Amino acid sequence: MIWTAFIALIIIFLALDLGVFNRKAHVIKTKEAAIWTTVWVSFALAFSGVIYLLFQNGLVENPTNLTPPNATLKYITGYLIELSLSIDNVFVIAIIFSSFNIPSKYQHRVLFWGILGAVVFRGLMILFGVALINKFDWIIYVFGAFLLYTAYKMLRSDSEEDFNPKDSKVYRWVRKFFAVTHHTEGDKFFIRKMGKRMATPLFLALIVIELTDVLFALDSIPAILAITADPFLVFSSNILAILGLRSMYFLISRMLQKFRYINYSLVAILTFVGLKMIFSHHIEIPEWASLAVIAVALLGGVLASIYIHEPPSETNPSPTDDPHLPS
């Protein structure tokens, strides 16, 4: 019953988003993005009160025997992890839109359908991940090692500029199945040209974003499973973070250079979570401590980005010269 009500609520939100608030395609300004980001984050944090009441009154299954306060803390911690890891998505999405020359006016439509697909795929991956952890205790070590490897790769990577969507296997795979036009025609994903059905750049960007999100989920889902194996907490915190990704994209994609140190925050978070998983059977870390580590890592990345100024150079272009920033 609770699962059905939560999923119905998400469907209502998505329907209102595309059918009412964003029925007409338009460029999402920074002020509008800031308002919606505040709305989504506020709702997600307020939902922690619902989590408390659900666990207090036994209205949701509690396979891991969590107390209401502990369940609430785990939900907030999981949500912050997912939200922080979503920041990495923003960098990649900006590159994808730039590569396919998607007009700012239609980016919200692409993200809407991308988020809808992400909700479905992540739901399936969460159920699979929870089932694995519950059946095989040792799988938590595999997840932990994978997160440490991901953190290492992120630390070694200079920037997202190495990623070219048009060189990806996904792009080549899509072109095998669909005839492609290189020109957008309004907000259409497909058009008919000379009697042939052709995919527009909007559809190509949607597919690349969708499958890229699946790859990101390989990091984020093990990360939240380090906090809790409760299916409802994992699903609700993950999905609510994903729903806020669209507005967050339009808010911070125009300030990518200003957040140049945030990747180090993500490295720190992934490293902490990976180590927590590996030592989970030997060391019990209180939930407030996990929450504090995540908050300090994010705050440190933001403050470093604000106060540490790098001298301009040829290898460090100014924000106005960055070809990956959306127009």
Side-chain angles (χ1 to χ4, degrees):
M1 179 67 180
I2 296 299
W3 280 85
T4 304
F6 181 75
I7 293 171
L9 186 65
I10 297 306
I11 293 172
I12 290 171
F13 284 158
L14 290 171
L16 286 173
D17 189 334
L18 193 65
V20 178
F21 299 113
N22 293 285
R23 183 167 60 179
K24 186 177 179 181
H26 64 286
V27 177
I28 307 294
K29 302 291 186 182
T30 301
K31 181 179 178 181
E32 181 183 355
I35 291 171
W36 278 108
T37 299
T38 302
V39 168
W40 282 116
V41 172
S42 299
F43 175 80
L45 293 177
F47 193 76
S48 62
V50 176
I51 294 292
Y52 185 93
L53 292 175
L54 290 177
F55 279 80
Q56 184 182 48
N57 297 294
L59 298 176
V60 67
E61 288 186 27
N62 188 3
T64 52
N65 297 315
L66 297 173
T67 63
N70 202 16
T72 305
L73 266 180
K74 285 181 179 293
Y75 164 79
I76 294 173
T77 305
Y79 173 73
L80 289 179
I81 284 179
E82 294 304 315
L83 195 66
S84 59
L85 293 179
S86 292
I87 293 173
D88 212 30
N89 289 32
V90 170
F91 289 80
V92 175
I93 290 171
I95 294 171
I96 292 171
F97 280 151
S98 176
S99 177
F100 290 108
N101 296 315
I102 306 299
S104 299
K105 187 177 181 180
Y106 305 122
Q107 289 178 3
H108 181 276
R109 177 174 169 81
V110 175
L111 281 178
F112 172 87
W113 291 107
I115 295 301
L116 186 62
V119 168
V120 175
F121 284 123
R122 290 202 177 206
L124 294 173
M125 293 176 74
I126 286 167
L127 291 175
F128 182 67
V130 169
L132 274 179
I133 280 189
N134 288 334
K135 190 165 186 179
F136 305 105
D137 281 347
W138 53 266
I139 204 73
I140 199 167
Y141 300 122
V142 177
F143 285 163
F146 178 73
L147 290 179
L148 290 177
Y149 173 68
T150 303
Y152 171 75
K153 274 178 43 179
M154 190 179 289
L155 187 62
R156 291 293 302 272
S157 175
D158 292 331
S159 71
E160 299 291 351
E161 294 181 8
D162 316 54
F163 173 63
N164 184 352
K166 291 185 177 179
D167 291 337
S168 66
K169 292 181 181 178
V170 172
Y171 176 73
R172 293 197 295 268
W173 177 79
V174 171
R175 296 204 61 174
K176 287 182 181 179
F177 293 92
F178 298 98
V180 173
T181 176
H182 297 289
H183 303 286
T184 57
E185 297 209 11
D187 61 357
K188 295 178 180 177
F189 290 116
F190 291 95
I191 61 169
R192 284 208 167 270
K193 208 170 186 179
M194 300 176 64
K196 183 183 283 189
R197 192 167 184 253
M198 305 185 77
T200 68
L202 265 70
F203 180 75
L204 294 176
L206 171 63
I207 295 300
V208 175
I209 287 173
E210 198 73 76
L211 295 183
T212 301
D213 181 76
V214 172
L215 296 178
F216 274 112
L218 294 177
D219 302 335
S220 66
I221 290 175
I224 195 171
L225 288 174
I227 304 302
T228 178
D230 183 276
F232 187 73
L233 293 181
V234 174
F235 184 73
S236 58
S237 58
N238 199 290
I239 298 308
L240 289 177
I242 285 294
L243 288 178
L245 178 60
R246 289 160 302 158
S247 54
M248 190 166 66
Y249 167 77
F250 292 107
L251 179 64
I252 70 174
S253 63
R254 300 179 180 100
M255 304 182 289
L256 293 181
Q257 290 298 314
K258 292 183 180 178
F259 290 95
R260 62 189 178 277
Y261 289 113
I262 203 71
N263 260 23
Y264 293 105
S265 298
L266 304 184
V267 169
I269 290 171
L270 286 175
T271 301
F272 169 74
V273 173
L275 291 173
K276 181 177 179 179
M277 294 188 94
I278 289 174
F279 294 108
S280 60
H281 293 153
H282 309 285
I283 302 174
E284 185 175 349
I285 300 176
E287 220 51 59
W288 63 265
S290 298
L291 193 56
V293 168
I294 294 163
V296 168
L298 286 174
L299 183 62
V302 171
L303 292 177
S305 299
I306 293 173
Y307 292 108
I308 299 177
H309 302 286
E310 293 183 354
S313 67
E314 293 182 5
T315 57
N316 184 30
S318 65
T320 53
D321 296 332
D322 190 346
H324 293 147
L325 286 175
S327 58

mmCIF file with all atom_site columns, all heavy atoms in Angstrom, residues 296-310:
data_model
loop_
_atom_site.group_PDB
_atom_site.id
_atom_site.type_symbol
_atom_site.label_atom_id
_atom_site.label_alt_id
_atom_site.label_comp_id
_atom_site.label_asym_id
_atom_site.label_entity_id
_atom_site.label_seq_id
_atom_site.pdbx_PDB_ins_code
_atom_site.Cartn_x
_atom_site.Cartn_y
_atom_site.Cartn_z
_atom_site.occupancy
_atom_site.B_iso_or_equiv
_atom_site.pdbx_formal_charge
_atom_site.auth_seq_id
_atom_site.auth_comp_id
_atom_site.auth_asym_id
_atom_site.auth_atom_id
_atom_site.pdbx_PDB_model_num
ATOM 1   N N   . VAL A 1 296 ? 30.492 17.563 5.576   1.00 0.00 ? 296 VAL A N   1
ATOM 2   C CA  . VAL A 1 296 ? 31.798 18.241 5.605   1.00 0.00 ? 296 VAL A CA  1
ATOM 3   C C   . VAL A 1 296 ? 32.482 18.142 4.244   1.00 0.00 ? 296 VAL A C   1
ATOM 4   O O   . VAL A 1 296 ? 33.088 19.112 3.763   1.00 0.00 ? 296 VAL A O   1
ATOM 5   C CB  . VAL A 1 296 ? 32.689 17.644 6.714   1.00 0.00 ? 296 VAL A CB  1
ATOM 6   C CG1 . VAL A 1 296 ? 34.133 18.132 6.577   1.00 0.00 ? 296 VAL A CG1 1
ATOM 7   C CG2 . VAL A 1 296 ? 32.141 18.006 8.087   1.00 0.00 ? 296 VAL A CG2 1
ATOM 8   N N   . ALA A 1 297 ? 32.388 16.959 3.590   1.00 0.00 ? 297 ALA A N   1
ATOM 9   C CA  . ALA A 1 297 ? 33.016 16.778 2.277   1.00 0.00 ? 297 ALA A CA  1
ATOM 10  C C   . ALA A 1 297 ? 32.402 17.728 1.245   1.00 0.00 ? 297 ALA A C   1
ATOM 11  O O   . ALA A 1 297 ? 33.124 18.383 0.480   1.00 0.00 ? 297 ALA A O   1
ATOM 12  C CB  . ALA A 1 297 ? 32.853 15.328 1.816   1.00 0.00 ? 297 ALA A CB  1
ATOM 13  N N   . LEU A 1 298 ? 31.083 17.832 1.237   1.00 0.00 ? 298 LEU A N   1
ATOM 14  C CA  . LEU A 1 298 ? 30.410 18.720 0.287   1.00 0.00 ? 298 LEU A CA  1
ATOM 15  C C   . LEU A 1 298 ? 30.726 20.184 0.576   1.00 0.00 ? 298 LEU A C   1
ATOM 16  O O   . LEU A 1 298 ? 31.033 20.967 -0.329  1.00 0.00 ? 298 LEU A O   1
ATOM 17  C CB  . LEU A 1 298 ? 28.895 18.494 0.332   1.00 0.00 ? 298 LEU A CB  1
ATOM 18  C CG  . LEU A 1 298 ? 28.385 17.216 -0.326  1.00 0.00 ? 298 LEU A CG  1
ATOM 19  C CD1 . LEU A 1 298 ? 26.893 17.058 -0.083  1.00 0.00 ? 298 LEU A CD1 1
ATOM 20  C CD2 . LEU A 1 298 ? 28.666 17.246 -1.826  1.00 0.00 ? 298 LEU A CD2 1
ATOM 21  N N   . LEU A 1 299 ? 30.673 20.544 1.856   1.00 0.00 ? 299 LEU A N   1
ATOM 22  C CA  . LEU A 1 299 ? 30.956 21.928 2.245   1.00 0.00 ? 299 LEU A CA  1
ATOM 23  C C   . LEU A 1 299 ? 32.400 22.292 1.911   1.00 0.00 ? 299 LEU A C   1
ATOM 24  O O   . LEU A 1 299 ? 32.677 23.395 1.418   1.00 0.00 ? 299 LEU A O   1
ATOM 25  C CB  . LEU A 1 299 ? 30.699 22.110 3.744   1.00 0.00 ? 299 LEU A CB  1
ATOM 26  C CG  . LEU A 1 299 ? 30.891 23.524 4.299   1.00 0.00 ? 299 LEU A CG  1
ATOM 27  C CD1 . LEU A 1 299 ? 29.920 24.488 3.634   1.00 0.00 ? 299 LEU A CD1 1
ATOM 28  C CD2 . LEU A 1 299 ? 30.706 23.533 5.815   1.00 0.00 ? 299 LEU A CD2 1
ATOM 29  N N   . GLY A 1 300 ? 33.307 21.348 2.141   1.00 0.00 ? 300 GLY A N   1
ATOM 30  C CA  . GLY A 1 300 ? 34.717 21.592 1.832   1.00 0.00 ? 300 GLY A CA  1
ATOM 31  C C   . GLY A 1 300 ? 34.931 21.840 0.346   1.00 0.00 ? 300 GLY A C   1
ATOM 32  O O   . GLY A 1 300 ? 35.680 22.743 -0.052  1.00 0.00 ? 300 GLY A O   1
ATOM 33  N N   . GLY A 1 301 ? 34.258 21.043 -0.513  1.00 0.00 ? 301 GLY A N   1
ATOM 34  C CA  . GLY A 1 301 ? 34.391 21.230 -1.957  1.00 0.00 ? 301 GLY A CA  1
ATOM 35  C C   . GLY A 1 301 ? 33.841 22.566 -2.416  1.00 0.00 ? 301 GLY A C   1
ATOM 36  O O   . GLY A 1 301 ? 34.436 23.241 -3.266  1.00 0.00 ? 301 GLY A O   1
ATOM 37  N N   . VAL A 1 302 ? 32.707 22.957 -1.849  1.00 0.00 ? 302 VAL A N   1
ATOM 38  C CA  . VAL A 1 302 ? 32.089 24.237 -2.211  1.00 0.00 ? 302 VAL A CA  1
ATOM 39  C C   . VAL A 1 302 ? 32.975 25.405 -1.769  1.00 0.00 ? 302 VAL A C   1
ATOM 40  O O   . VAL A 1 302 ? 33.240 26.336 -2.549  1.00 0.00 ? 302 VAL A O   1
ATOM 41  C CB  . VAL A 1 302 ? 30.678 24.363 -1.598  1.00 0.00 ? 302 VAL A CB  1
ATOM 42  C CG1 . VAL A 1 302 ? 30.134 25.775 -1.779  1.00 0.00 ? 302 VAL A CG1 1
ATOM 43  C CG2 . VAL A 1 302 ? 29.725 23.347 -2.226  1.00 0.00 ? 302 VAL A CG2 1
ATOM 44  N N   . LEU A 1 303 ? 33.445 25.360 -0.524  1.00 0.00 ? 303 LEU A N   1
ATOM 45  C CA  . LEU A 1 303 ? 34.286 26.451 0.000   1.00 0.00 ? 303 LEU A CA  1
ATOM 46  C C   . LEU A 1 303 ? 35.609 26.547 -0.759  1.00 0.00 ? 303 LEU A C   1
ATOM 47  O O   . LEU A 1 303 ? 36.087 27.657 -1.051  1.00 0.00 ? 303 LEU A O   1
ATOM 48  C CB  . LEU A 1 303 ? 34.553 26.245 1.495   1.00 0.00 ? 303 LEU A CB  1
ATOM 49  C CG  . LEU A 1 303 ? 33.334 26.404 2.414   1.00 0.00 ? 303 LEU A CG  1
ATOM 50  C CD1 . LEU A 1 303 ? 33.713 26.102 3.861   1.00 0.00 ? 303 LEU A CD1 1
ATOM 51  C CD2 . LEU A 1 303 ? 32.745 27.817 2.300   1.00 0.00 ? 303 LEU A CD2 1
ATOM 52  N N   . ALA A 1 304 ? 36.186 25.389 -1.085  1.00 0.00 ? 304 ALA A N   1
ATOM 53  C CA  . ALA A 1 304 ? 37.442 25.396 -1.854  1.00 0.00 ? 304 ALA A CA  1
ATOM 54  C C   . ALA A 1 304 ? 37.213 26.024 -3.231  1.00 0.00 ? 304 ALA A C   1
ATOM 55  O O   . ALA A 1 304 ? 38.053 26.789 -3.729  1.00 0.00 ? 304 ALA A O   1
ATOM 56  C CB  . ALA A 1 304 ? 37.971 23.972 -2.002  1.00 0.00 ? 304 ALA A CB  1
ATOM 57  N N   . SER A 1 305 ? 36.074 25.708 -3.850  1.00 0.00 ? 305 SER A N   1
ATOM 58  C CA  . SER A 1 305 ? 35.752 26.259 -5.165  1.00 0.00 ? 305 SER A CA  1
ATOM 59  C C   . SER A 1 305 ? 35.568 27.769 -5.107  1.00 0.00 ? 305 SER A C   1
ATOM 60  O O   . SER A 1 305 ? 35.899 28.487 -6.056  1.00 0.00 ? 305 SER A O   1
ATOM 61  C CB  . SER A 1 305 ? 34.473 25.609 -5.711  1.00 0.00 ? 305 SER A CB  1
ATOM 62  O OG  . SER A 1 305 ? 34.624 24.215 -5.858  1.00 0.00 ? 305 SER A OG  1
ATOM 63  N N   . ILE A 1 306 ? 35.041 28.259 -3.987  1.00 0.00 ? 306 ILE A N   1
ATOM 64  C CA  . ILE A 1 306 ? 34.786 29.696 -3.848  1.00 0.00 ? 306 ILE A CA  1
ATOM 65  C C   . ILE A 1 306 ? 36.058 30.475 -3.531  1.00 0.00 ? 306 ILE A C   1
ATOM 66  O O   . ILE A 1 306 ? 36.312 31.537 -4.121  1.00 0.00 ? 306 ILE A O   1
ATOM 67  C CB  . ILE A 1 306 ? 33.735 29.942 -2.742  1.00 0.00 ? 306 ILE A CB  1
ATOM 68  C CG1 . ILE A 1 306 ? 32.374 29.382 -3.166  1.00 0.00 ? 306 ILE A CG1 1
ATOM 69  C CG2 . ILE A 1 306 ? 33.620 31.438 -2.429  1.00 0.00 ? 306 ILE A CG2 1
ATOM 70  C CD1 . ILE A 1 306 ? 31.322 29.431 -2.074  1.00 0.00 ? 306 ILE A CD1 1
ATOM 71  N N   . TYR A 1 307 ? 36.886 29.935 -2.624  1.00 0.00 ? 307 TYR A N   1
ATOM 72  C CA  . TYR A 1 307 ? 37.991 30.731 -2.093  1.00 0.00 ? 307 TYR A CA  1
ATOM 73  C C   . TYR A 1 307 ? 39.359 30.435 -2.715  1.00 0.00 ? 307 TYR A C   1
ATOM 74  O O   . TYR A 1 307 ? 40.283 31.231 -2.560  1.00 0.00 ? 307 TYR A O   1
ATOM 75  C CB  . TYR A 1 307 ? 38.081 30.534 -0.571  1.00 0.00 ? 307 TYR A CB  1
ATOM 76  C CG  . TYR A 1 307 ? 36.897 31.150 0.144   1.00 0.00 ? 307 TYR A CG  1
ATOM 77  C CD1 . TYR A 1 307 ? 35.917 30.350 0.717   1.00 0.00 ? 307 TYR A CD1 1
ATOM 78  C CD2 . TYR A 1 307 ? 36.763 32.536 0.227   1.00 0.00 ? 307 TYR A CD2 1
ATOM 79  C CE1 . TYR A 1 307 ? 34.822 30.913 1.372   1.00 0.00 ? 307 TYR A CE1 1
ATOM 80  C CE2 . TYR A 1 307 ? 35.678 33.113 0.870   1.00 0.00 ? 307 TYR A CE2 1
ATOM 81  C CZ  . TYR A 1 307 ? 34.705 32.287 1.446   1.00 0.00 ? 307 TYR A CZ  1
ATOM 82  O OH  . TYR A 1 307 ? 33.633 32.848 2.067   1.00 0.00 ? 307 TYR A OH  1
ATOM 83  N N   . ILE A 1 308 ? 39.510 29.293 -3.388  1.00 0.00 ? 308 ILE A N   1
ATOM 84  C CA  . ILE A 1 308 ? 40.801 28.999 -4.015  1.00 0.00 ? 308 ILE A CA  1
ATOM 85  C C   . ILE A 1 308 ? 40.733 29.426 -5.476  1.00 0.00 ? 308 ILE A C   1
ATOM 86  O O   . ILE A 1 308 ? 39.950 28.877 -6.258  1.00 0.00 ? 308 ILE A O   1
ATOM 87  C CB  . ILE A 1 308 ? 41.157 27.499 -3.908  1.00 0.00 ? 308 ILE A CB  1
ATOM 88  C CG1 . ILE A 1 308 ? 41.266 27.083 -2.442  1.00 0.00 ? 308 ILE A CG1 1
ATOM 89  C CG2 . ILE A 1 308 ? 42.457 27.210 -4.651  1.00 0.00 ? 308 ILE A CG2 1
ATOM 90  C CD1 . ILE A 1 308 ? 41.548 25.609 -2.239  1.00 0.00 ? 308 ILE A CD1 1
ATOM 91  N N   . HIS A 1 309 ? 41.526 30.390 -5.822  1.00 0.00 ? 309 HIS A N   1
ATOM 92  C CA  . HIS A 1 309 ? 41.521 30.922 -7.186  1.00 0.00 ? 309 HIS A CA  1
ATOM 93  C C   . HIS A 1 309 ? 42.748 30.421 -7.932  1.00 0.00 ? 309 HIS A C   1
ATOM 94  O O   . HIS A 1 309 ? 43.877 30.562 -7.463  1.00 0.00 ? 309 HIS A O   1
ATOM 95  C CB  . HIS A 1 309 ? 41.507 32.453 -7.173  1.00 0.00 ? 309 HIS A CB  1
ATOM 96  C CG  . HIS A 1 309 ? 40.332 33.017 -6.435  1.00 0.00 ? 309 HIS A CG  1
ATOM 97  N ND1 . HIS A 1 309 ? 39.055 33.006 -6.951  1.00 0.00 ? 309 HIS A ND1 1
ATOM 98  C CD2 . HIS A 1 309 ? 40.228 33.599 -5.209  1.00 0.00 ? 309 HIS A CD2 1
ATOM 99  C CE1 . HIS A 1 309 ? 38.218 33.568 -6.088  1.00 0.00 ? 309 HIS A CE1 1
ATOM 100 N NE2 . HIS A 1 309 ? 38.905 33.924 -5.010  1.00 0.00 ? 309 HIS A NE2 1
ATOM 101 N N   . GLU A 1 310 ? 42.510 29.862 -9.121  1.00 0.00 ? 310 GLU A N   1
ATOM 102 C CA  . GLU A 1 310 ? 43.618 29.401 -9.949  1.00 0.00 ? 310 GLU A CA  1
ATOM 103 C C   . GLU A 1 310 ? 43.954 30.476 -10.966 1.00 0.00 ? 310 GLU A C   1
ATOM 104 O O   . GLU A 1 310 ? 43.052 31.100 -11.547 1.00 0.00 ? 310 GLU A O   1
ATOM 105 C CB  . GLU A 1 310 ? 43.244 28.105 -10.676 1.00 0.00 ? 310 GLU A CB  1
ATOM 106 C CG  . GLU A 1 310 ? 43.063 26.920 -9.745  1.00 0.00 ? 310 GLU A CG  1
ATOM 107 C CD  . GLU A 1 310 ? 42.777 25.650 -10.528 1.00 0.00 ? 310 GLU A CD  1
ATOM 108 O OE1 . GLU A 1 310 ? 42.618 25.749 -11.753 1.00 0.00 ? 310 GLU A OE1 1
ATOM 109 O OE2 . GLU A 1 310 ? 42.731 24.583 -9.896  1.00 0.00 ? 310 GLU A OE2 1
#
